[in-house]
Amino acid sequence: MVKSPRISVILSALAVATGALACRDTTTSGERSTAEITEPRFTKGVGFTSTVVGRGTLGTFDVRCKADANDGQVESHDNTDGESTPDGYCAKLQSKDNTDIVVANIAITPGGTSGWHSHPGPVLVVVRTGALTIYRADDPTCSPTLHPAGTAFTEEGGVVHIARNEGGVDATTVATFFVPASAPQRIDQALPGNCAF
């Protein structure tokens, strides 16, 4: 029995059409399909913009309080005495994993919000104008922490939180993110349910 090439083409076209119809969305134009959407529902920022001004890979690092005589760089990679400088000041930065540093300018309009989110590593934030109010998902009382212009604060990696501008002027910040190499600096999170918003 000889098969006709024409019949094979018709059967192939019929199989493709059947597959396309089987995968078709049954909603009408302007209607949203929710058949496949399940929890969690991520929150979206409103009046929120983040502009990355620089990103670079630093690798692993161990910046100590002071450089020692064996280190030709400003930062020290082998100073293990942990002593502070003669004036008593001491700050340390350390990462055992390959790390990217990301710097971003962030703005939130009055009434705006960042949406609930977390970061894969710590963040250093300087508030330039306005004020930010931070709420944490792990706080059952949903207590606000206010950060006005001229202050700085840190955010711990993995902590779910939201930044809100509850003031009357734009809140602007500069944020420095410490993240795993090539990772995003923000992870959107589901509404935690401890706050009314």
Side-chain angles (χ1 to χ4, degrees), residues 4-75:
S4 166
R6 188 175 191 190
I7 292 176
S8 295
V9 170
I10 291 172
L11 289 177
S12 296
L14 182 60
V16 168
T18 301
L21 288 174
C23 294
R24 172 178 81 91
D25 190 351
T26 58
T27 58
T28 59
S29 177
E31 183 181 20
R32 293 183 344 161
S33 173
T34 58
E36 299 300 319
I37 297 176
T38 59
E39 295 299 325
R41 296 184 190 247
F42 298 113
T43 60
K44 189 175 174 183
V46 175
F48 174 88
T49 58
S50 177
T51 305
V52 173
V53 296
R55 182 180 187 124
T57 301
L58 184 59
T60 61
F61 56 91
D62 187 4
V63 181
R64 300 295 181 128
C65 298
K66 63 179 183 176
D68 61 24
N70 299 320
D71 193 329
Q73 301 177 31
V74 174
E75 72 276 5

Side-chain angles (χ1 to χ4, degrees), residues 59-62 94-99:
T60 61
F61 56 91
D62 187 4
Q94 182 180 42
S95 173
K96 295 179 180 179
D97 299 311
N98 197 15
T99 301

Side-chain angles (χ1 to χ4, degrees), residues 128-164:
R128 295 176 57 213
T129 64
L132 284 182
T133 305
I134 306 295
Y135 297 88
R136 291 173 53 133
D138 62 359
D139 176 6
T141 64
C142 191
S143 299
T145 302
L146 182 66
H147 299 284
T151 63
F153 62 96
T154 61
E155 296 176 349
E156 297 173 2
V159 174
V160 178
H161 62 283
I162 190 169
R164 295 170 51 95

Side-chain angles (χ1 to χ4, degrees), residues 81-96:
D81 65 5
E83 294 179 18
S84 38
T85 59
D87 64 0
Y89 175 77
C90 183
K92 297 179 184 180
L93 296 173
Q94 182 180 42
S95 173
K96 295 179 180 179

